[in-house]
Amino acid sequence: MSVSLFTDAGEIKIEVFCEETPKTAENFLALCASEYYNGCLFHRNMKGFMIQTGDPTGTGKGGESIWGGEFEDEIVTSLRHHTRGMVSMANKGPDTNRSQFFITYGKQSHLDSKYTVFGKVIDGMDTLEALERVPVDSNSRPTQDIRIKYVKIHANPIADLV
């Protein structure tokens, strides 16, 4: 199962780990299908670390899950932040997932067991490189607005269950 994020910097195609992280995948795919992420800013960008999005307020403090609140982590020991392009839910601590997510720019093993890894970039590493080069201010916020323009779902196995 995969989705493409069409951003101001280009396309990023993500494989979603539906079997390993079913609740997280359901939330992410439903938000994608409802156009929730369309127009979302990449509000945090830390070279060598990660880029974060998924908050429609653009502040980094907003966002909701499809259930209206937070939901629990799905930590799978075989899914790790072991390389560039891993996609994980952003949170404020254990079991506080909503809509925000991040993509790693490299190995970040200190994040393992703290954030739900639910996907990986399978195409668009050139776009990820372009995003990493975007200048940021002292708060790691890009100095130019970079958004997810829209999301394309290539196949949605969760829709087949309904």
Side-chain angles (χ1 to χ4, degrees):
M1 172 35 235
S2 63
V3 302
S4 287
L5 307 179
F6 291 87
T7 76
D8 290 327
E11 179 183 353
I12 298 174
K13 189 172 187 180
I14 297 169
E15 176 185 353
V16 180
F17 304 139
C18 297
E19 289 184 24
E20 298 91 334
T21 58
K23 190 161 191 172
T24 304
E26 179 182 6
N27 182 66
F28 180 71
L29 293 171
L31 292 174
C32 288
S34 69
E35 301 182 356
Y36 185 89
Y37 292 126
N38 293 6
C40 280
L41 283 171
F42 287 93
H43 61 268
R44 189 170 176 219
N45 190 15
M46 302 175 80
K47 185 178 175 126
F49 181 39
M50 63 88 203
I51 188 161
Q52 188 169 330
T53 187
D55 170 14
T57 72
T59 64
K61 297 178 182 181
E64 290 297 325
S65 73
I66 60 171
W67 301 285
E70 299 170 341
F71 67 96
E72 65 273 7
D73 296 325
E74 291 181 296
I75 304 298
V76 178
T77 55
S78 61
L79 299 177
R80 300 179 334 260
H81 302 89
H82 67 288
T83 190
R84 183 177 187 84
M86 299 310 292
V87 185
S88 294
M89 292 302 294
N91 65 41
K92 299 180 291 188
D95 302 322
T96 58
N97 301 292
R98 292 183 180 201
S99 63
Q100 292 189 44
F101 63 95
F102 62 90
I103 305 171
T104 62
Y105 286 137
K107 180 178 180 178
Q108 306 297 337
S109 48
H110 65 284
L111 302 179
D112 294 345
S113 301
K114 296 176 185 161
Y115 299 88
T116 299
V117 177
F118 69 94
K120 69 177 179 181
V121 174
I122 56 174
D123 195 21
M125 287 296 188
D126 55 333
T127 300
L128 199 58
E129 286 177 25
L131 289 170
E132 190 173 18
R133 288 193 304 268
V134 171
V136 297
D137 64 18
S138 60
N139 294 315
S140 301
R141 188 172 182 88
T143 56
Q144 65 188 66
D145 285 352
I146 306 165
R147 297 182 185 274
I148 297 174
K149 295 195 266 187
Y150 64 95
V151 180
K152 179 180 179 185
I153 300 174
H154 298 288
N156 186 349
I158 291 169
D160 295 336
L161 300 176
V162 178

